[in-house]
């Protein structure tokens, strides 16, 4: 291990490699002491031991994540975050694929450990919307798999009943891209039976507790768990677990992963089918031939199942109560007994649930796996059963322990390989380590010819009577001399008496201890047969998901080949897993269960000792200590222990290795205890390290005393100097204060004397000034009276001649001033339509009053005009122009005053059909309206679109939106309109224009006033001349065939919709207006 101060506690070392003495008792005692201190994690080198505290501890906070992020593995206290960070940084920075192997018995905390590893990796990897989505999907796969794959056992309330291996894939930056999950050996036998005090899989209880009444009705389920046989008709309550909340969490997780509502519904329907199969009851009957048969005693459950999956009830009943046997070319239908029928029912339930779980894993993989083909890095997390040694061990324990033998094999080989690589890298002589090689046990189980699994498969395929006795006999014959195998028969042959080994059992000496296996059920569980009739019935169902789970049920794909056995499948899966693990750098987490009662912070040494033995922890420590127990880089080692040698303390300016050699040479350790690598110092014995640490602590105490002494002296000197400086400062301030007070007293006395002297002088000066002032006032008064007398005497001669004129001017000025002030207070409102004005109070002010009225009105108008917007100003100018043209001249004008001038009556901008009309003129639009053009020959009218722009006038066909006539404004020579309320007008064109040859145009418009006004303004703005406008009842127009005289007559025969034009000969036309 690489050392740190947190590791070197002699009573509870954080790394068991440093444990001295090394015994089972000291190892367990160390774990217990650390557990008492709430340190649940301990190292064996780079292996993490985790003891389940059965309660939440405040060691998984975001602050803890930051503490272990990018930190050296041994620089901080042992923690699961340390191994997760080390694996993640090795993957990200050194481009090495990683795997984290989590082992331990049920209830030891393996599932929680895998969650913590995944949550830590998610927390320290990069952030981003897409990255966060991938991380959330990876984390949310846990609640889904726990619901369908976990159950309450005697040892654990949330026990994983399957093995899980997840490959998390990262890009070159260390950002998670996705993952792939592999599952191993689901305990499907739990579906049909489980030990009293345990529960079936969580999903059944969660579904019944958390589903809404509508969903339960749709699935044809009751909320009462006691109604269902597969739940042992027991209550569902479990302290500390909220099944309803977990069901909703599972649904949310499925939504985040990407399950569609249809998929979730089908998944729950298949789950309900499995639950209801346990309620299908069979009854016994006898046929006419006397053979026993079975039938469905209560068809209600069967009918509900068939409604859920879309299957004929008769088809499913035949599949459950009979079996089709093919012998050569013959097909025989045989009835089943009640036990055989129940066996088929349970086999169907187990197969449906097992295949449903496999489909669930594949569906999660479809959402989280990486779609791109770019290069990826992989971190695998293996959460699988630890060694299981029960009172009665069956086929499942045999398979599980075989897997753990393979994991132990890879652990030993990879640990030794890592040690050897480090020694070679550092240039240290490698000493071969003796250890127990469990490959002989793995070969005993998996050998392709003489292995236990091979012989089990051979017995399952052998014709004739096959049972567990023949299988055990064959094992005894072939493995009688194997030193890791024994049974009752082999012991008898060796004349060994062992009452602990009963008949129908065999025992294997695993690396973790001896395990006795009962062969009862080995053949049945290895075969794992499902009658073909049941497979075909499931394939015939209309339920899409259930049908996809049984592809072998397709009659077109019937195969007489037996499916592979459970043992063969698991052996192949383990081989692939081992190949995958060998390709990655392994990291180990060994989980330990501290007590059997699931009590918080309770440590049972006997139970822990048993787990220490079958986890092989003592052997792991010995393998790690076979070389050197301690190693550390030269720089941190020198920094920690340099105070132990006078040559290296307090500062070493040369190389780190040279400093370490000088340091250790002065401490006189035996040469065999030390080895100097290229970058690290190696120490063989933990005792040497503890001695080194003891000397350091003593030296640190001495240095601390020295530092305290120097500090106290410095503090006393500093305090004395501060007091002396303070005393000098206080004295100086006191003397200064005393002198200031004396000065202030003298200053006060001087000021009083000065005040008295200045007062005396001022009073004397004041008396003199008053005397002078009185004399001056007297002289001034006498002079004033004298000048007044002289002025009055002179003024009497001229007063009477000009007095009347002066009085009159004064009176006039006062009257005008009063008038103007009163006018300012009574000004009329500022509205331009208000022409009121106060009358003049005197006749001589009439002209002035009228002039002020005009000035005020013009000022109001100017102010109103300044406030107008450009569009409003243009509209008013148009109105003014219309008034000048038509007021008192045409009857239609008063009616047009209530209609605003809109300009665009066609909505050119909103109607894309008319857009190209505007493009023809290529200039600014002034007005767009619908008009009627009078036919020159017949007098009938046709509709036209009229567009007036700044330079052109366009007439277009409204249907095709195509221009018929485009006139330049300079081609128009005048306009004629009538004096009545009609919209008739004549457009006179110049003969020399391009369109003039066609003659003048007669038009009828509903907005005649606005059209003529805008045409008049536009013409004047374009040509600089006024457009001639004739308002008359008789005028002449020029047609292609000659001039025509037009007479306008007001008649009740005319239509209210417009004028009526009648041709009177070739040279006259009469227009009737209403």
């Amino acid at each position: 291990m690489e050392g740190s101060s947190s590791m070197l506690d002699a009573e509870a070392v954080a790394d068991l490699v440093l444990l001295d003495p090394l015994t089972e008792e000291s190892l367990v005692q160390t774990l217990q002491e650390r557990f008492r201190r709430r340190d649940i994690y301990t190292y064996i080198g780079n292996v993490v031991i985790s003891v389940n505290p059965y309660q939440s501890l405040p060691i998984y906070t975001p602050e803890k994540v930051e503490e272990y992020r990018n930190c050296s593995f041994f620089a901080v206290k042992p923690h699961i975050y340390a191994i997760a960070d080390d694996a993640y940084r090795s993957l990200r920075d050194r481009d090495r694929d990683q795997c984290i192997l989590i082992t331990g018995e049920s209830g030891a905390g393996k599932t929680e450990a895998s969650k913590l590893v995944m949550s830590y990796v998610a927390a320290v990897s990069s952030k981003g919307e897409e990255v966060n989505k991938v991380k959330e999907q990876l984390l949310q796969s846990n609640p889904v798999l726990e619901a369908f794959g976990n159950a309450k056992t005697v040892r654990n309330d949330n026990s994983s009943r399957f093995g899980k291996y997840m490959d998390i894939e990262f890009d070159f930056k260390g950002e998670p891209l996705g993952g792939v999950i592999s599952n191993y050996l689901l305990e499907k036998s739990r579906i049909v039976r489980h030990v009293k005090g345990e529960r079936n899989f969580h999903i059944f209880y969660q579904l019944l507790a958390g589903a809404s009444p509508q969903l339960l009705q749709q699935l044809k389920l009751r909320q009462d768990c006691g109604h269902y046989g597969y739940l042992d008709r027991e209550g569902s309550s479990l302290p500390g677990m909220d099944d309803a909340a977990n069901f909703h969490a599972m649904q949310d997780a499925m939504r985040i992963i990407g399950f569609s509502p249809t998929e979730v519904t089908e998944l729950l329907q298949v789950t309900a089918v499995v639950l209801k199969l346990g309620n299908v009851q069979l009854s016994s009957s006898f046929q006419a031939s006397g053979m026993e048969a079975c039938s469905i005693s209560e068809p209600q459950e069967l009918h509900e199942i068939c409604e859920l999956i879309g299957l004929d009830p008769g088809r499913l009943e035949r599949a459950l109560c009979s079996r089709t046997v093919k012998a050569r070319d013959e097909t025989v239908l045989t009835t089943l007994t009640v036990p055989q029928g129940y066996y088929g029912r349970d086999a169907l339930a187990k197969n449906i649930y097992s295949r449903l779980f496999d489909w669930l894993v594949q569906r999660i993989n479809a959402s989280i796996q990486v779609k791109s083909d770019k290069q990826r890095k992989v971190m695998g997390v293996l959460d699988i059963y630890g060694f299981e040694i029960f009172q009665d061990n069956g086929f499942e324990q045999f398979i599980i322990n075989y897997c753990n033998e393979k994991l132990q094999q890879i652990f030993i080989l990879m640990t030794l390989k890592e040690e050897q690589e480090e020694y070679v890298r550092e240039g240290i002589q490698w000493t071969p380590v003796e250890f127990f090689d469990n490959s002989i046990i793995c070969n005993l189980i998996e050998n392709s010819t003489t292995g236990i699994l091979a012989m089990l498969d051979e017995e399952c395929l052998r014709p004739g009577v096959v049972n567990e006795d023949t299988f055990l006999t064959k094992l005894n014959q072939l493995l009688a001399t194997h030193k890791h195998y024994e049974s009752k028969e082999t012991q008898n042959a060796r004349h060994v008496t062992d009452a602990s080994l009963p008949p129908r059992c065999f025992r294997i000496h695993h690396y973790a201890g001896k395990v006795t296996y009962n062969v009862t059920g080995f053949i049945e569980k290895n075969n794992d047969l499902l009658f073909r009739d049941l497979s075909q019935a499931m394939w015939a169902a209309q339920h899409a998901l259930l049908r996809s789970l049984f592809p072998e049920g397709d009659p077109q794909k019937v195969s007489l080949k037996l499916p592979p056995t459970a043992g063969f499948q698991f052996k192949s899966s383990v081989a692939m897993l081992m190949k995958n693990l060998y390709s990655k750098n392994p990291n180990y987490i060994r989980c330990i269960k501290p007590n059997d009662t699931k009590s918080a912070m309770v440590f049972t040494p006997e139970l822990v000792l048993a787990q220490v033995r079958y986890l092989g922890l003592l052997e792991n420590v010995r393998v790690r200590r076979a070389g050197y127990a301690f190693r550390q880089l030269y720089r941190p080692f020198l920094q920690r222990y340099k105070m132990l040698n006078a040559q290296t303390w307090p500062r070493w300016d040369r190389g780190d290795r040279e400093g370490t050699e000088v340091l250790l040479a002065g401490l006189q350790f035996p040469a065999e205890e030390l080895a100097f690598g290229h970058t690290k110092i190696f120490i063989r014995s933990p005792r040497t390290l503890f001695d080194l640490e003891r000397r350091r602590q003593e030296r640190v105490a001495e240095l601390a005393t020295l530092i305290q002494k120097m500090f106290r002296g410095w503090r006393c000197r500093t305090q004395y100097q501060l007091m002396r400086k303070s005393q000098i400062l206080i004295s100086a301030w006191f003397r200064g204060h005393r002198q200031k007070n004396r000065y202030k007293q003298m200053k006060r006395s001087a000021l009083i004397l000065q005040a008295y002297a200045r007062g005396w002088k001022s009073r004397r000066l004041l008396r003199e000034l008053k005397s002078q002032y009185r004399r001056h006032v007297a002289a001034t008064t006498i002079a004033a009276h004298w000048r007044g007398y002289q002025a009055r005497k002179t003024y009497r001669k001229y007063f009477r001649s000009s007095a009347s004129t002066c009085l009159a001017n004064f009176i006039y000025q006062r009257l005008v001033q009063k008038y103007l002030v009163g006018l300012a207070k009574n000004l009329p409102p500022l509205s331009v339509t208000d022409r009121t004005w106060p009358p003049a109070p005197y006749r001589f002010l009439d002209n002035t009053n009228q002039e002020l009225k005009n000035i005020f009105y013009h000022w109001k108008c100017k102010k109103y005009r300044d406030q107008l917007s450009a569009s409003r100003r243009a509209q008013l100018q148009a109105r003014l122009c219309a008034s000048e043209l038509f007021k008192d001249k045409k009857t239609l004008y008063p009616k047009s005053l209530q209609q605003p001038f809109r300009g665009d009556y066609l909505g050119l901008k909103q109607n894309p059909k008319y857009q190209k009309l505007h493009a023809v003129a290529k200039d600014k639009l002034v007005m767009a309206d619908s008009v009627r053009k009078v036919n020159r020959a017949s007098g009938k009218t046709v509709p036209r679109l009229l567009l007036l722009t700044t330079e052109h006038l366009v007439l277009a066909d409204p249907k095709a939106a195509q221009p018929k006539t485009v006139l330049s404004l300079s081609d128009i020579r005048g306009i004629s309109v009538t004096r009545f309320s009609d919209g008739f007008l004549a457009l006179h064109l110049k003969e020399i224009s391009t369109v003039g040859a066609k003659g003048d145009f007669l038009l009828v418009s509903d907005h005649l006033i606005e059209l003529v006004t805008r045409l008049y303004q536009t013409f004047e703005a374009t040509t600089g001349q006024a457009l001639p406008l004739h308002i008359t009842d008789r005028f002449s127009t020029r047609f292609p065939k000659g001039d025509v005289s037009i007479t306008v007559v007001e008649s009740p025969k005319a239509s209210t919709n417009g004028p009526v034009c009648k041709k009177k000969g070739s040279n006259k036309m009469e227009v009737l207006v209403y």
Side-chain angles (χ1 to χ4, degrees):
M1 66 151 282
E2 297 179 8
S4 74
S5 59
S6 62
M7 303 287 175
L8 304 176
D9 185 346
E11 292 185 8
V13 289
D15 193 334
L16 297 179
V17 174
L18 302 177
L19 188 60
D20 193 22
L22 178 59
T23 61
E24 287 184 341
E25 292 75 13
S26 63
L27 192 149
V28 173
Q29 185 177 358
T30 300
L31 291 178
Q32 183 174 9
E33 176 62 21
R34 291 185 59 78
F35 188 74
R36 185 186 64 80
R37 301 180 184 184
R38 297 180 179 268
D39 292 329
I40 63 172
Y41 296 110
T42 309
Y43 290 155
I44 299 178
N46 56 1
V47 177
V48 174
I49 302 173
S50 172
V51 184
N52 192 349
Y54 286 114
Q55 70 176 31
S56 298
L57 296 178
I59 57 174
Y60 307 108
T61 59
E63 293 77 15
K64 281 290 181 182
V65 171
E66 291 301 319
E67 179 181 344
Y68 283 87
R69 185 174 187 174
N70 295 329
C71 188
S72 174
F73 186 81
F74 297 101
V76 287
K77 292 176 64 175
H79 200 291
I80 195 170
Y81 285 169
I83 194 171
D85 184 76
D86 187 62
Y88 176 71
R89 286 192 292 114
S90 296
L91 174 138
R92 182 193 63 191
D93 301 336
R94 295 195 286 272
D95 203 18
R96 297 174 59 188
D97 288 349
Q98 304 288 317
C99 64
I100 299 178
L101 281 65
I102 306 173
T103 57
E105 73 169 51
S106 178
K110 301 186 299 298
T111 302
E112 289 301 317
S114 66
K115 291 182 189 176
L116 290 171
V117 170
M118 293 175 63
S119 64
Y120 178 83
V121 173
V124 300
S125 55
S126 302
K127 302 294 186 292
E129 182 177 352
E130 190 63 29
V131 174
N132 288 338
K133 178 182 177 183
V134 171
K135 292 193 289 190
E136 190 66 19
Q137 287 182 336
L138 291 173
L139 294 176
Q140 290 301 325
S141 64
N142 286 322
V144 179
L145 293 179
E146 283 186 15
F148 284 87
N150 288 24
K152 176 191 180 300
T153 64
V154 176
R155 298 184 174 184
N156 186 4
D157 289 345
N158 188 32
S159 175
S160 298
R161 306 319 299 161
F162 69 103
K164 180 179 72 173
Y165 177 76
M166 173 183 281
D167 267 336
I168 307 173
E169 300 181 344
F170 300 81
D171 63 7
F172 70 96
K173 296 178 292 184
E175 296 178 355
L177 300 173
V180 179
I181 299 174
S182 303
N183 63 299
Y184 302 95
L185 195 65
L186 176 72
E187 189 190 16
K188 57 186 177 183
S189 61
R190 180 171 291 271
I191 292 292
V192 298
R193 68 182 64 87
H194 49 269
V195 179
K196 184 174 180 61
E198 295 188 353
R199 296 204 316 177
N200 212 318
F201 290 102
H202 291 326
I203 183 60
F204 299 119
Y205 306 94
Q206 293 177 2
L207 177 60
L208 297 180
S212 63
Q214 295 79 9
L215 179 58
L216 289 176
Q217 184 178 2
Q218 179 184 350
L219 299 178
K220 304 185 184 304
L221 295 175
R222 301 184 188 177
Q223 200 167 19
D224 181 19
C225 294
H227 177 68
Y228 298 99
Y230 281 163
L231 304 185
D232 282 352
R233 306 191 186 278
E234 295 179 353
S236 64
S237 60
L238 186 61
M241 185 174 292
D242 187 344
D243 288 322
N246 290 339
F247 179 73
H248 298 311
M250 186 266 297
Q251 287 183 310
D252 293 339
M254 284 186 170
R255 177 180 52 78
I256 292 172
I257 293 172
F259 281 76
S260 67
T262 303
E263 289 175 325
V264 175
T265 302
E266 291 180 346
L267 181 67
L268 295 179
Q269 287 175 342
V270 176
T271 305
V273 167
V274 173
L275 192 57
K276 294 179 72 65
L277 273 174
N279 285 4
V280 174
Q281 299 298 317
L282 304 177
S283 60
S284 177
S285 62
F286 291 91
Q287 295 180 330
S289 61
M291 294 184 62
E292 184 184 358
C294 67
S295 61
I296 305 298
S297 60
E298 294 292 339
Q300 178 63 29
E301 291 284 356
L302 187 72
H303 288 175
E304 291 181 353
I305 291 174
C306 292
E307 286 181 28
L308 283 173
I309 64 177
L311 181 64
D312 178 31
R315 176 78 181 265
L316 182 57
E317 183 175 2
R318 287 193 300 274
L320 288 171
C321 299
S322 61
R323 179 183 179 189
T324 303
V325 180
K326 288 189 177 182
R328 296 184 181 177
D329 296 332
E330 296 183 2
T331 301
V332 179
L333 181 66
T334 62
T335 60
L336 301 177
T337 63
V338 172
Q340 290 174 336
Y342 279 128
Y343 171 82
R345 180 200 69 175
D346 293 344
L348 176 61
K350 290 188 292 185
N351 271 272
I352 291 176
Y353 194 83
S354 176
R355 298 181 187 203
L356 178 67
F357 189 77
D358 292 340
W359 175 88
L360 182 65
V361 173
Q362 293 171 6
R363 177 62 185 82
I364 293 174
N365 285 338
S367 294
I368 66 176
Q369 68 184 5
V370 182
K371 308 299 188 295
S372 63
D373 296 330
K374 56 186 178 182
Q375 187 176 3
R376 302 184 288 271
K377 306 175 184 180
V378 178
M379 176 186 290
V381 180
L382 177 64
D383 175 8
I384 202 164
Y385 327 87
F387 254 89
E388 292 191 351
I389 307 176
F390 299 144
Q391 192 70 26
D392 184 17
N393 301 288
F395 179 75
E396 291 85 356
Q397 283 70 43
F398 175 72
I399 291 295
I400 291 169
N401 293 346
Y402 159 61
C403 180
N404 277 272
E405 284 286 356
K406 297 294 290 183
L407 291 175
Q408 177 67 11
Q409 185 181 34
I410 192 175
F411 171 74
I412 295 295
L413 293 178
M414 295 300 284
T415 301
L416 292 175
K417 180 181 177 183
E418 182 182 352
E419 286 282 299
Q420 183 177 5
E421 287 179 351
E422 183 169 19
Y423 287 161
V424 171
R425 188 168 57 248
E426 291 293 327
I428 304 297
Q429 182 65 34
W430 166 252
T431 304
V433 178
E434 293 184 4
F435 63 96
F436 171 65
D437 186 359
N438 68 337
S439 59
I440 186 172
I441 303 176
C442 297
N443 190 59
L444 168 66
I445 298 174
E446 67 182 4
N447 188 278
S448 58
T449 56
T450 60
I452 296 177
L453 287 176
M455 286 186 280
L456 181 59
D457 289 347
E458 185 178 330
E459 281 297 301
C460 291
L461 298 175
R462 185 171 62 82
V465 179
V466 179
N467 54 42
E468 284 79 5
D469 293 331
T470 61
F471 167 62
L472 185 58
T473 302
K474 193 167 188 177
L475 289 181
N476 293 332
Q477 291 173 356
L478 294 178
L479 304 175
T481 59
H482 200 289
K483 62 181 181 179
H484 290 278
Y485 173 86
E486 61 180 342
S487 66
K488 198 70 176 177
E489 286 74 9
T490 60
Q491 286 183 348
N492 292 337
R494 300 172 190 165
H495 305 288
V496 176
T497 302
D498 186 358
S500 64
L501 184 58
R504 291 180 61 84
C505 294
F506 66 91
R507 180 180 292 161
I508 295 179
H509 297 205
H510 289 285
Y511 82 93
K514 298 178 181 180
V515 184
T516 302
Y517 299 101
N518 190 332
V519 297
T520 303
F522 264 55
I523 300 294
E524 175 191 334
K525 293 177 180 178
N526 190 50
N527 273 327
D528 195 22
L529 291 178
L530 180 67
F531 297 151
R532 185 178 294 110
D533 301 72
L534 293 171
S535 298
Q536 292 177 348
M538 294 299 101
W539 190 86
Q542 299 301 313
H543 196 278
L545 175 56
L546 185 63
R547 182 187 178 98
S548 68
L549 299 180
F550 292 87
E552 76 277 10
D554 187 355
Q556 305 297 325
K557 300 179 181 178
V558 173
S559 174
L560 298 178
K561 182 180 178 181
L562 289 175
T565 63
F568 178 81
Q569 294 179 40
F570 188 72
K571 176 183 173 182
S572 302
S573 299
V574 169
M576 292 179 60
L577 176 63
M578 294 302 114
K579 182 179 179 182
N580 197 349
L581 296 180
Y582 273 117
S583 66
K584 297 178 174 61
N585 182 54
N587 303 269
Y588 298 93
I589 300 175
R590 305 290 203 180
C591 297
I592 291 180
K593 178 180 179 180
N595 61 79
D596 275 330
T597 59
K598 293 175 279 191
S599 301
M601 301 309 295
V602 174
F603 192 93
T604 307
E606 296 78 13
L607 178 64
V608 174
L609 178 59
Q611 295 174 75
V612 166
R613 286 173 178 168
Y614 69 67
L615 285 174
L617 299 186
L618 194 63
E619 190 171 21
N620 294 353
V621 177
R622 286 172 177 158
V623 169
R624 289 288 300 185
R625 288 176 56 164
Y628 292 89
F630 176 86
R631 73 285 314 267
Q632 190 175 24
L633 294 171
Y634 287 122
R635 177 177 291 277
F637 182 85
L638 183 61
Q639 288 295 324
R640 181 169 181 79
Y641 297 108
K642 64 181 180 179
M643 74 283 295
L644 300 181
N645 193 308
Q647 298 181 49
T648 57
W649 178 259
R651 184 179 294 105
W652 178 261
D653 298 326
R654 286 176 282 173
D656 295 330
R657 173 170 179 168
E658 183 181 355
T660 302
E661 291 175 349
V662 170
L663 169 65
L664 293 175
L667 298 177
Q668 298 180 351
F669 286 120
E672 62 272 11
E673 284 290 313
L674 306 174
F676 296 93
H678 296 311
T679 62
K680 294 181 180 179
I681 172 66
F682 290 77
I683 298 177
R684 184 178 300 276
S685 169
R687 186 175 288 107
T688 302
L689 180 63
F690 285 125
D691 183 47
L692 190 64
E693 187 65 21
R694 178 186 56 77
R695 296 189 188 186
R696 180 183 179 276
Q697 291 176 356
E698 294 174 355
R699 180 59 177 158
V700 166
E702 295 175 2
L703 292 175
T705 303
L706 178 61
I707 292 172
Q708 290 174 353
K709 180 180 68 174
M710 298 300 293
F711 174 75
R712 291 193 188 101
W714 170 83
R715 187 172 61 181
C716 289
R717 286 191 297 274
T718 304
Q719 188 174 5
Y720 167 74
Q721 292 172 356
L722 183 61
M723 291 174 64
R724 185 171 182 274
K725 188 184 298 183
S726 301
Q727 185 270 332
I728 294 173
L729 184 62
I730 291 171
S731 299
W733 275 96
F734 176 75
R735 287 193 294 271
H737 175 71
R738 188 172 58 185
Q739 293 298 326
K740 287 177 184 177
N741 288 342
R742 184 180 299 172
Y743 167 75
K744 289 177 182 178
Q745 185 64 32
M746 293 173 63
K747 183 178 179 181
R748 255 194 316 271
S749 302
L751 288 176
I752 291 173
L753 294 175
Q754 291 174 358
Y756 276 104
R758 283 195 294 271
W760 175 77
K761 291 175 63 177
S762 297
R763 286 190 295 274
R764 189 180 65 175
L765 178 60
L766 180 60
R767 284 193 296 272
E768 293 177 359
L769 290 176
K770 284 182 177 180
S771 177
Q772 291 178 3
Y773 175 74
R774 283 193 295 270
R775 289 195 295 271
H776 174 71
V777 169
T780 303
T781 303
I782 294 171
H785 280 82
W786 173 251
R787 284 193 297 272
Y789 167 75
Q790 293 293 334
R792 285 190 296 274
K793 184 177 178 181
T794 305
Y795 187 66
R796 287 192 188 98
K797 300 177 182 180
Y798 309 103
F799 175 74
R800 297 184 184 277
S801 62
S802 59
S804 60
T805 304
C806 291
L807 289 172
N809 289 337
F810 176 77
I811 292 172
Y812 283 144
Q813 289 176 0
R814 292 295 297 164
L815 291 175
V816 169
Q817 182 181 9
K818 182 178 179 181
Y819 162 69
L820 293 177
V821 171
L823 184 62
K825 293 180 180 179
N826 296 296
L827 285 176
L830 296 180
S831 173
V832 294
T833 58
D834 188 355
R835 301 296 294 268
T836 62
W837 186 257
Y842 308 106
R843 291 183 61 188
F844 73 91
L845 294 174
D846 286 344
N847 293 336
T848 304
N849 190 57
Q850 185 63 35
E851 190 67 25
L852 288 175
K853 177 180 178 181
N854 295 336
I855 292 172
F856 181 75
Y857 182 72
H858 288 129
W859 174 78
K860 282 199 303 184
C861 293
K862 180 180 183 304
K863 190 170 183 180
Y864 175 74
R865 289 195 303 273
D866 292 343
Q867 294 175 350
L868 293 176
S869 61
S871 59
R872 179 63 176 164
R873 187 188 299 272
Q875 192 173 19
L876 291 177
Q877 288 175 349
R879 285 290 189 183
L880 180 62
C881 180
S883 174
E884 293 173 351
L885 294 176
F886 296 107
K887 186 176 181 180
D888 299 328
K889 299 177 184 178
K890 185 170 177 62
T891 312
L892 181 64
Y893 174 74
K895 300 179 181 178
S896 69
L897 294 177
Q898 303 301 324
Q899 300 176 354
F901 286 1
R902 289 167 47 192
D904 184 4
Y905 292 92
L906 300 180
L908 290 182
K909 295 182 180 179
Q910 292 78 18
N911 194 338
K913 179 180 177 182
Y914 297 151
Q915 290 290 333
K916 55 186 177 181
L917 291 176
H918 189 201
V920 173
K922 299 182 181 179
D923 45 17
K924 183 178 179 181
L925 180 69
V926 177
M927 182 175 178
D929 193 11
S930 297
V931 299
R932 297 184 295 281
K933 177 176 173 294
V934 179
N935 189 291
R936 300 182 182 98
S938 63
K940 297 182 179 180
T941 60
V942 292
R944 286 289 183 267
L945 301 179
L946 182 143
L947 273 71
L948 174 62
T949 66
T950 54
E951 296 182 3
H952 297 84
L953 188 144
V954 180
L955 293 175
D957 185 5
K959 293 184 180 179
Q962 294 291 336
K964 290 289 187 179
T965 305
V966 179
L967 298 175
S968 175
L969 296 184
S970 59
D971 295 340
I972 301 174
R973 64 183 177 85
I975 301 176
S976 295
V977 297
T978 72
R979 60 186 178 84
F980 303 112
S981 299
D982 59 278
F984 184 79
L985 77 151
L987 197 64
H988 304 292
L989 305 181
K990 296 177 181 178
E991 297 182 13
I992 60 174
S993 65
T994 56
V995 191
K998 297 181 179 180
D1000 298 341
F1001 287 94
L1002 300 181
L1003 304 175
V1004 179
S1005 173
D1006 295 334
H1007 306 94
L1008 177 72
I1009 300 298
E1010 181 179 358
L1011 174 61
V1012 174
T1013 300
R1014 292 191 182 276
L1015 181 59
Y1016 184 90
Q1017 288 181 312
T1018 307
F1019 185 88
E1020 186 176 14
T1022 303
T1023 62
Q1025 300 176 355
L1027 178 64
L1029 174 65
H1030 307 285
I1031 302 176
T1032 177
D1033 298 342
R1034 186 184 301 273
F1035 52 85
S1036 176
T1037 60
R1038 186 176 53 80
F1039 286 177
K1041 295 182 180 180
D1043 293 346
V1044 175
S1045 175
I1046 295 178
T1047 304
V1048 181
V1049 180
E1050 189 173 19
S1051 171
K1053 297 181 181 180
S1055 172
T1056 57
N1057 295 330
V1060 177
C1061 302
K1062 294 182 179 181
K1063 195 72 179 291
K1064 301 289 185 178
S1066 60
N1067 297 324
K1068 291 184 179 181
M1069 178 179 285
E1070 187 178 70
V1071 179
L1072 302 180
V1073 297
Y1074 184 76

